Amino acid sequence: MSYRASIVIREGGKSSFHGLSLYDPLPYLFLRPGQLKAFVDSTRFDLSGLNNVWSETGIPMDADGKQLLYFGSDNSTWEIGFRKVLDAFLERSLWPGWNVRFCPRHLVDFAEALGLESPMTPWLGDAPDLYDLKYWIGGESRLDSLNDGEISSAIMVRKGGAHYLHTIDSMYVTDILDHGEELVAPLLKPGLDKLVSGVDGDGLCSSALIDCDGRILTYWYVDEDRPPEYFQRFWPGWELVDIQDDYQAFSKATGGIVTFDESIDMERAIAGIRACNHIDIYDDKPTIPPEKFESMLLSFLAGYQPCLADLGSFLQGCLSS
């Protein structure tokens, strides 16, 4: 299945905008700047600017600002740990001197990074998506009953000095923020004392902290292009803090009640990176010759610090294979 993608090339102070169909943006990050430009030139549909019709995935290559951005891959969106390893590999091995970054707000992030007007409107005139609270956090929900390893979200209420922490069966906590303060009362019941979430393809991918004492709503996510202005109308008199995909900042906001285990399965992460070394999923021809690619991986892993605990055995396996 292909997705409508926006590709932006900025070089020499000029920007060109293109629409095309992509299955997954990640393999195209393995092209060199000249190769990526040539690919876009050969397949492009020219646009006048960022266009929300072409907003399912995308890549801006900003040669002036040395930044390579992307969004739209299922692997990179939901697997935070894999994304960390991937970005580090790209920055050190293929795009040295560049900032490679995932964009949880899609074209909104593209526009901000490039100094352009966002093509995404706040939809302030639209009716809210009021899903039934019984499904999300009531009797028909799976509140606090998710299995280990399931991708989910968390919502925490702070009131009167006490906290009420719950997991919800959704990858988008923002989908229920439309209910405003109606969310509070059903959540004022015993839940979890604390929560430790993984980042390696399981655990949380969005969360919200409803601080009734300070009237502050703080939330994070990996996939949401609606701006705070959209949600503000459902929380009048509240301060909204949109921290995008900064889950560590969310942990700090909860006072350590929600924390994250940063362990990463390096074998699985490297397998994911190897899978990206093919532009066409139906073509076995790698973008980078296998011997060169494996050499790049070994060089990268030898200096990749965050996962030294798991790295020794993994490197040994690479060398002996």
Side-chain angles (χ1 to χ4, degrees), residues 71 79 108 131 166 172 191 199 247 269 272-273 289 294 301 311 313:
F71 78 91
E79 299 200 16
V108 176
Y131 297 97
H166 304 277
Y172 302 91
V199 299
Y247 60 88
I273 290 176
E294 292 303 316
L301 289 168
L311 205 51
S313 60

Side-chain angles (χ1 to χ4, degrees), residues 9 16 18 34-46:
I9 305 294
S16 58
H18 317 285
Q35 293 175 312
L36 182 57
K37 286 179 60 180
F39 168 76
V40 171
D41 286 340
S42 67
T43 61
R44 70 188 188 186
F45 173 74
D46 291 344

Side-chain angles (χ1 to χ4, degrees), residues 26-32 35-36 94 273-280 283-290 292-293 296:
L26 299 189
Y28 299 88
L29 305 179
F30 284 62
L31 297 173
R32 307 303 301 172
Q35 293 175 312
L36 182 57
L94 291 173
I273 290 176
R274 285 193 178 105
C276 294
N277 191 32
H278 300 263
I279 288 293
D280 189 334
D283 185 355
D284 290 333
K285 184 179 179 181
T287 304
I288 302 170
K292 181 179 180 181
F293 187 69
M296 293 168 65

Side-chain angles (χ1 to χ4, degrees), residues 21 26 59 94 112 117 137 169 181 252 260 279 285:
S21 294
L26 299 189
I59 302 171
L94 291 173
E112 187 174 286
E117 183 177 347
I137 59 178
D169 184 18
E181 293 185 63
K252 184 177 180 180
F260 293 85
I279 288 293
K285 184 179 179 181

Side-chain angles (χ1 to χ4, degrees), residues 196-207:
V196 179
S197 170
V199 299
D200 196 28
D202 55 11
L204 302 178
C205 57
S206 70
S207 307

Side-chain angles (χ1 to χ4, degrees), residues 60-81:
M61 187 193 81
D62 178 9
D64 295 345
K66 298 291 183 184
Q67 52 183 342
L68 182 70
L69 314 179
Y70 66 95
F71 78 91
S73 165
D74 286 342
N75 286 340
S76 63
T77 298
W78 309 115
E79 299 200 16
I80 299 171

